[in-house]
């Protein structure tokens, strides 16, 4: 979803950092071989994720929702040399696809893949995080937050994707639309939780930055 007129949006993209060649290749192969390629972060949001990661300079990153690994590699661009990314996805069929690009990137040894239910996996990861990216199933966003917040270091950042949910957050709620309800509840949770400070950015489908105090 674009919130700017197309010409202005094109100008913003063309005057932002260029997408790396490896990510262009990953995008092409995702569109050729993988269902729902629209789930990719895309070149502009990818550069935003990369910039935020470089500003944070995280030692440990947690990503919920790997898909084909595009955002993972964007976040990896800012990680410390000895840092680790834990990335979780429920789809085991994507694991080899992800690993191929992780190893091509030079960050392969720093990326640990987890396959399964993130609600089960997160408590098993015995580390704290400087940066978390949530881009998984919307009904569990709030559950993920509650599992993550105590693992987030002071000053750590949570990035939450799709928080405007195709604009549905400002439309009349369909009682059967559990995903929109979950996003609305999550946005309220972030706004009201005194442990964090939050800013919503109207980037693509909405990206929230939450900083732990």
């Amino acid at each position: 979803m674009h919130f700017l007129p197309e010409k202005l949006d094109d100008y913003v993209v063309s005057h932002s950092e260029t997408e790396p060649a490896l990510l262009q290749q990953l995008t092409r192969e995702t569109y050729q071989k993988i269902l729902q390629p629209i789930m990719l972060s895309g070149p502009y949001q990818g550069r935003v994720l990369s910039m935020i990661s470089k500003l944070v300079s995280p030692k440990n990153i947690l990503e919920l929702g790997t898909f084909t690994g595009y955002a993972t590699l964007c976040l990896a661009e800012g990680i410390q040399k000895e840092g680790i990314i834990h990335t979780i996805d429920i789809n085991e069929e994507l694991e080899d696809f992800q690993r191929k690009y992780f190893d091509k990137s030079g960050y392969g040894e720093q990326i640990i893949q987890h396959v399964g239910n993130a609600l089960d996996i997160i408590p098993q990861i015995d580390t704290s995080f400087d940066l978390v990216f949530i881009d998984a199933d919307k009904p569990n966003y709030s559950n993920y937050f509650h599992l993550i917040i105590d693992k987030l270091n002071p000053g750590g950042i949570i990035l939450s994707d799709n928080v405007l949910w195709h604009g549905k957050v400002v439309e009349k709620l369909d009682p059967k639309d559990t995903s929109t309800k979950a996003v609305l509840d999550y946005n309220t949770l972030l706004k009201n939780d005194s442990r964090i400070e939050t800013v919503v950015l109207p980037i693509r489908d909405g990206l929230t930055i939450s900083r732990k105090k």
Side-chain angles (χ1 to χ4, degrees):
M1 184 172 183
H2 299 269
F3 296 95
L4 292 175
E6 185 176 357
K7 286 185 178 180
L8 195 54
D9 188 83
D10 289 343
Y11 181 88
V12 169
V13 172
S14 66
H15 287 77
S16 297
E17 193 68 16
T18 302
E19 180 185 34
L22 180 65
L23 293 180
Q24 294 176 22
Q25 181 182 344
L26 187 159
T27 297
R28 284 194 299 272
E29 189 170 356
T30 298
Y31 271 86
Q32 290 168 353
K33 299 179 179 179
I34 308 298
L35 294 175
Q36 295 183 297
I38 193 69
M39 291 173 61
L40 284 169
S41 291
Y44 177 67
Q45 183 167 318
R47 293 306 87 206
V48 173
L49 295 177
S50 171
M51 180 67 76
I52 293 172
S53 185
K54 289 171 181 174
L55 291 170
V56 174
S57 187
K59 182 177 181 181
N60 293 307
I61 298 175
L62 175 63
E63 179 186 37
L64 307 183
T66 317
F67 192 46
T68 55
Y70 189 102
T72 320
L73 293 177
C74 294
L75 295 169
E77 293 176 29
I79 199 168
Q80 296 179 22
K81 290 184 179 180
E82 304 301 321
I84 294 293
I85 300 177
H86 292 269
T87 184
I88 305 172
D89 201 281
I90 200 165
N91 188 350
E92 63 182 14
E93 294 180 359
L94 294 175
E95 190 173 11
D96 291 342
F97 186 104
Q98 298 160 5
R99 176 49 56 186
K100 179 175 70 172
Y101 280 94
F102 292 163
D103 289 344
K104 283 184 177 182
S105 72
Y107 299 108
E109 294 184 358
Q110 294 177 269
I111 301 174
I112 299 175
Q113 295 163 278
H114 302 268
V115 179
N117 189 327
L119 296 175
D120 298 326
I121 294 171
I122 293 169
Q124 298 175 13
I125 302 176
D126 186 20
T127 190
S128 58
F129 297 98
D130 305 301
L131 181 60
V132 177
F133 182 45
I134 304 177
D135 187 17
D137 56 313
K138 310 314 166 202
N140 275 314
Y141 264 36
S142 293
N143 294 328
Y144 296 143
F145 175 84
H146 291 305
L147 285 177
I148 288 163
I149 188 64
D150 289 334
K151 289 179 172 287
L152 189 67
N153 292 322
I157 299 294
I158 299 175
L159 300 174
S160 307
D161 200 14
N162 305 117
V163 294
L164 298 180
W165 202 228
H166 317 299
K168 292 181 180 180
V169 291
V170 293
E171 297 175 357
K172 184 178 180 180
L173 180 64
D174 181 344
K176 297 179 182 179
D177 188 350
T178 56
S179 291
T180 299
K181 177 64 163 58
V183 172
L184 288 167
D185 290 344
Y186 180 69
N187 290 342
T188 300
L189 171 65
L190 295 184
K191 171 65 176 176
N192 293 335
D193 195 302
S194 61
R195 294 170 291 182
I196 57 174
E197 50 188 332
T198 291
V199 175
V200 179
L201 304 179
I203 293 174
R204 292 302 185 262
D205 198 28
L207 181 71
T208 292
I209 303 178
S210 302
R211 177 185 179 274
K212 189 173 181 180
K213 298 177 182 178

